[in-house]
Amino acid sequence: MKKIFTATLGTETNTFPAIPTGHQLFEETCLFRKASCGRDVPMFGAPLAVWRQRADAKGWQVVESLCAFAMPAGRTVKKVYEAFREEILADLRAALPVDGVLLSMHGAMVADGYDDCEGDLLGHVRKIVGPDVPVGAELDLHCNISESLLKDATALVLFKEYPHVDVPERADDLFTVMEGAIEGRTRPTMAAYDCKMIGVFHTTREPMRGFVDKLSSMEGKEGILSLSIGHGFPWSDVKEMGTRLIAVTDNDMPKARRLARELGQEFFAMRAATHPPYVTLDSAIARASAHNLPKPMVLADVSDNAAGGAASDSTFILKALLDKGIKDAAVGMIWDPGAVKLAFEAGEGATFDIRIGGKLGPTSGPPVDAKATVLKVEKDVTIEFGGARKSIGWIGDAAALQIEGVTVIVNSKRTQCLSRDCFTKLGVDPSTKKVVVVKSMQHFHAAYAPIASEVVYVTAPGALVPDWSLLPYTKVDKAQWPFVADPHAV
Ligand SMILES: [Zn+2]
């Protein structure tokens, strides 16, 4: 009987904001031990559930270690990362001998003293299991792929979809690649191509949609085991930040290199066409004010996306809606545990003076002082996200507040507005509103595009304004597009 070892450790580290990532943030977001997350599977725990199911079906033994993920924020505290790493390594040593290791990681985790946590963890795992045991990892596509990660991994399989609705499906893909390697039927051989560009790439629109579909259609044929696009995470000031094309073949390095290069060059050639259609705050508010179609206009506050490390308490769009006197609007979610507490204290139906948002720093803007009516309060709210197989998220305690014409959801666990549950669980139906503001960069799209007449990506001020020239990079290689018009010509 074969035995596999599995674990999750990750977060997406925005190296610029001041919100620390400590043990508490892992506890709040996702921290389970030894298969204890049960039926409520969080996004980065979903691969563990898939691998357990696939291994069970084969009669393989599974040793499941830590399942730890933190809502993206600043650098992870050094001792917190090291303690989690050592816990996984101790579990692995205790499980030896194993026939394979499967890890669910993010790919852009930075801790104090560790710019490449995934490369560090995988390097330690490789030392323990030796050169011949297959070690695979599933990563978020917003990963910064390091040379050490490529050197020590047998295969890396990345999410293909942005929004990330395919986490369990890619876990299936990695298991299939690893299954062949563990049973000695295949020899995964991996190469990566540095596309030398920095960007945000939505797979909901052409030309990315077609490119992702093309990659999927090539897999499983002619010795091609897996193809992935690493989009990179631009808010991470690390040496290897950027886009990569990864190809895994069956024991054919020249082919892996050729595929990675050719597809990587094709991706690079689409760089201008893949740029998201961003709109300024003033222009978005003018359009929202004039909006009169039956379905809502959805405004994405991309600059205040909690899952990119932002505070999710900025007030720029809320204030603009109130100043413009826009009626029948809804905003979700502003992270403000203090406001939530006061709403619970006042109770449903109460009207009182409240100060909302604008707490974390200059990128949050000033707080909004207003008279609010408490529409509904709810404890420990869960939300669902994903495609065919959903994962669970936790937004904490939450309240729906009515301020003039705007319904505002405030919550106690800093979380991206991933699904319509963020409103509906507070008794607000976003599909009936004229304007819906979601604090999210792109994941909102899966749930909100179906109810929207139009989706507008707003570049309001905030921690995640998608303009790389504003980021004070010190380690990133700037010989990349858009800093350099054609870096491959240099
Ligand atoms: Zn991502």
Side-chain angles (χ1 to χ4, degrees):
M1 190 190 8
K2 303 285 188 193
K3 189 204 282 181
I4 61 166
F5 179 88
T6 67
T8 292
L9 178 58
T11 183
E12 179 182 67
T13 303
N14 185 326
T15 59
F16 299 107
I19 307 173
T21 301
H23 196 273
Q24 183 179 275
L25 193 47
F26 281 91
E27 267 179 326
E28 268 188 13
T29 316
C30 166
L31 182 56
F32 300 97
R33 289 186 163 84
K34 297 179 172 48
S36 64
C37 67
R39 287 161 58 86
D40 287 342
V41 180
M43 186 193 279
F44 283 82
L48 299 187
V50 170
W51 298 334
R52 202 186 316 145
Q53 205 174 25
R54 292 282 301 268
D56 284 349
K58 292 186 71 71
W60 289 4
Q61 189 186 345
V62 184
V63 178
E64 194 170 307
S65 177
L66 190 68
C67 177
F69 192 86
M71 182 57 61
R75 280 186 175 79
T76 298
V77 174
K78 184 176 186 181
K79 66 180 181 195
V80 172
Y81 166 64
E82 289 176 342
F84 284 147
R85 180 191 67 194
E86 292 313 310
E87 184 175 339
I88 291 172
L89 299 178
D91 284 349
L92 176 58
R93 284 189 202 96
L96 292 176
V98 298
D99 299 288
V101 177
L102 286 83
L103 300 172
S104 161
M105 304 191 288
H106 184 285
M109 180 178 185
V110 179
D112 299 317
Y114 298 92
D115 274 4
D116 174 23
C117 291
E118 288 83 1
D120 177 65
L121 174 62
L122 215 129
H124 280 86
V125 167
R126 177 55 75 200
K127 267 188 212 130
I128 290 171
V129 299
D132 301 325
V133 171
V135 179
E138 179 178 358
L139 304 175
D140 189 303
L141 54 78
H142 295 113
C143 53
N144 298 314
I145 302 285
S146 68
E147 283 304 316
S148 55
L149 196 52
L150 289 165
K151 174 174 67 67
D152 288 319
T154 308
L156 300 173
V157 170
L158 279 48
F159 307 163
K160 282 190 168 61
E161 302 294 337
Y162 186 34
H164 305 331
V165 292
D166 63 332
V167 181
E169 286 77 7
R170 299 294 80 78
D172 261 327
D173 291 353
L174 179 66
F175 191 93
T176 301
V177 172
M178 293 290 288
E179 184 183 15
I182 289 167
E183 293 177 337
R185 290 181 283 107
T186 57
R187 182 180 278 273
T189 303
M190 183 163 59
Y193 177 79
D194 183 352
C195 304
K196 293 187 185 294
M197 62 174 176
I198 305 170
V200 168
F201 310 97
H202 299 159
T203 60
T204 42
R205 280 191 317 278
E206 296 298 349
M208 284 303 287
R209 182 69 262 143
F211 189 56
V212 168
D213 290 341
K214 175 181 168 174
L215 264 53
S216 299
S217 73
M218 293 169 72
E219 290 176 323
K221 294 169 196 154
E222 298 167 15
I224 301 170
L225 300 181
S226 174
L227 297 168
S228 292
I229 310 164
H231 295 206
F233 183 59
W235 291 273
S236 208
D237 188 19
V238 297
K239 186 170 142 274
E240 283 154 314
M241 190 279 283
T243 48
R244 302 282 188 279
L245 205 304
I246 299 170
V248 186
T249 64
D250 183 9
N251 200 21
D252 189 343
M253 184 52 91
K255 183 169 183 166
R257 287 203 180 108
R258 180 175 56 75
L259 279 168
R261 188 185 63 248
E262 287 176 1
L263 292 167
Q265 287 172 344
E266 191 176 332
F267 183 29
F268 180 77
M270 302 187 309
R271 62 198 176 284
T274 52
H275 190 66
Y278 294 127
V279 171
T280 64
L281 175 58
D282 286 349
S283 165
I285 293 298
R287 282 164 67 173
S289 184
H291 181 69
N292 63 359
L293 295 172
K295 293 205 292 188
M297 172 178 280
V298 173
L299 305 182
D301 188 357
V302 302
S303 306
D304 199 25
N305 171 30
S312 194
D313 78 335
S314 85
T315 53
F316 300 104
I317 297 185
L318 171 60
K319 188 165 184 317
L321 292 172
L322 293 170
D323 287 351
K324 192 80 181 171
I326 292 178
K327 305 288 177 216
D328 210 15
V331 177
M333 299 170 297
I334 291 185
W335 179 48
D336 194 330
V340 173
K341 211 166 163 41
L342 295 178
F344 269 84
E345 197 70 29
E348 292 176 359
T351 298
F352 68 118
D353 291 321
I354 195 165
R355 169 167 281 197
I356 292 178
K359 307 283 199 312
L360 255 287
T363 54
S364 297
V368 167
D369 290 305
K371 197 166 280 301
T373 300
V374 183
L375 301 179
K376 190 170 173 60
V377 292
E378 200 69 53
K379 286 260 180 207
D380 295 325
V381 180
T382 57
I383 57 172
E384 288 192 344
F385 176 72
R389 291 180 270 180
K390 305 270 187 236
S391 57
I392 297 281
W394 295 270
I395 70 169
D397 299 342
L401 305 173
Q402 191 64 35
I403 301 173
E404 299 172 32
V406 186
T407 308
V408 183
I409 308 296
V410 288
N411 72 315
S412 68
K413 276 190 186 179
R414 193 175 54 88
T415 315
Q416 172 178 195
C417 190
L418 278 172
S419 82
R420 298 206 291 271
D421 293 342
C422 301
F423 289 102
T424 55
K425 294 230 170 153
L426 277 303
V428 179
D429 181 356
S431 69
T432 64
K433 297 289 179 184
K434 168 175 156 157
V435 178
V436 178
V437 179
V438 288
K439 288 183 178 288
S440 171
M441 191 163 277
Q442 170 68 350
H443 289 339
F444 75 90
H445 196 280
Y448 288 88
I451 62 159
S453 64
E454 191 182 0
V455 169
V456 178
Y457 296 91
V458 189
T459 54
L464 294 175
V465 176
D467 179 351
W468 325 136
S469 70
L470 301 175
L471 296 174
Y473 290 133
T474 59
K475 296 179 181 173
V476 165
D477 176 10
K478 289 176 85 170
Q480 302 195 71
W481 184 83
F483 291 114
V484 177
D486 186 0
H488 297 284
V490 177

